Amino acid sequence: MDTWWIKSERIVFPDGIGPGALWIQDGKIGKIKRGENVSFAEGNMVDAGTDWILPGFIDVHIHGSGGWEADGADPKAIQGLADFLPTVGVTAFQPTTGGAPFEDTLVQLKAISHAMEVQTTGARMTGIHMEGPFFNVREKGVFIPETLLLPTVERMQAYLDAAGQGRIQHVSLAPEMEGAEAVIRFLRQKGILVAGGHTDASYEETMQGIEWGIELSNHTCNAQRSIHHRDPGALGAYLLSSVDCELISDFIHVHPKMMEMIRRLKGIEKIVIVSDAIHAAGLTPGKYSFANHTIIIGEDGRSALADGTLAGSTGDMLLGFKNWIKTMGVSVEEACVMAAKNPARVAGVLDRKGTIEAGKDADLLVLDADLALVQTICEGQVAFNKGERINRMNPLVKRIDEE
């Protein structure tokens, strides 16, 4: 259906929840009728009854899911990820690179750029997120030390050239590294979002990085110098400053009480739910190969190296959204701000995504009373229906312990 209505008794509008109907036309929300007794003169009608209609989730930090890698060298695999993500409520995302040597990263950027050029289905790629390689080895996390580089404008320009004009929209780096100031200022002049992450910076060094142009905290609390009563660290700076804070909300990477503390300090308007998912997200527990590592997925969903170091996440945006509502006690409206509106804002696409408003892209989710996903709509196209029998997992991915 190119033009159709969808109505519900519970639509999450920017100014509150209420009944109404949305007119979908040419991938956009063409018109909105609000109220219980709306009438229609044209088009097909989908009646969602009492199910929720929400703005689609936007994931600005994701390495893969369903066996698909965001930072591989095969555009078809990247498209596979885009087609998988609507099954977990994601309608737009920033494919995230990280962990590869310099030359390999250039190849990855070209592949993602090509996938973006030819994409016609699935969750839309709004821009590339480069997580690294300008990180501090003392907070390397899962990154291989040999792949971490000192930040230089020349290296950053090579990445920009490989990706193509305007493709890279988000870069995470450690502000204490030699050369970081020049790269941060260079990126901000080009309108590229800069996040601080994998950093051993002090409070003072982090605040200096914020002054240079850092506007986002990369997976807050993880791979950052933490808070000590005589050293507030990078985390203290991000919590006390005006930057937005990414949060992996799977209850593995950040304790719920720490999440509550961050909510009280930052407020709902400054938290960005991310998945930081790796390609093994959605797969059965076991051993997998990822980014030149052996990753062990536990029965509890924990993704880690053999030494216990956390290695990305196997959670997804829908899990984080539900955790905030069902355990943390925030409202559906507030959770939508963190999962859709705020990510759209930091990604620079709030003018067309992130909220349900006339003229914006028809990126919508239908959830039942228990917040289970019923339907995903990406730019007016039905991208997922509950009960579908299509297997969207990568059929080539196998557990190492099964090979």
Side-chain angles (χ1 to χ4, degrees), residues 349-361:
V349 296
L350 186 57
D351 61 324
R352 64 183 190 274
K353 296 181 183 291
T355 58
I356 296 178
E357 298 179 77
K360 288 196 172 185
D361 292 340

Side-chain angles (χ1 to χ4, degrees), residues 45-87:
M45 168 60 66
V46 174
D47 188 350
T50 59
D51 287 347
W52 295 94
I53 296 182
L54 318 175
F57 300 153
I58 300 172
D59 197 346
V60 300
H61 188 157
I62 178 169
H63 299 276
S65 278
W68 305 102
E69 290 182 315
D71 54 0
D74 182 2
K76 292 182 179 178
I78 299 166
Q79 180 60 53
L81 173 62
D83 289 332
F84 173 83
L85 288 177
T87 70

Side-chain angles (χ1 to χ4, degrees), residues 40 87 90 94 110 114 129-130 133 143 169 182 216 223 235 260 271 286 318 335 349 364 381:
F40 312 97
T87 70
V90 174
Q94 290 186 331
K110 291 176 182 178
H114 178 68
H129 171 200
M130 288 193 66
F143 286 85
Q169 290 293 317
L216 180 67
L235 177 57
E260 172 62 17
I271 294 173
L318 187 57
V349 296
L364 305 167
Q381 299 178 1

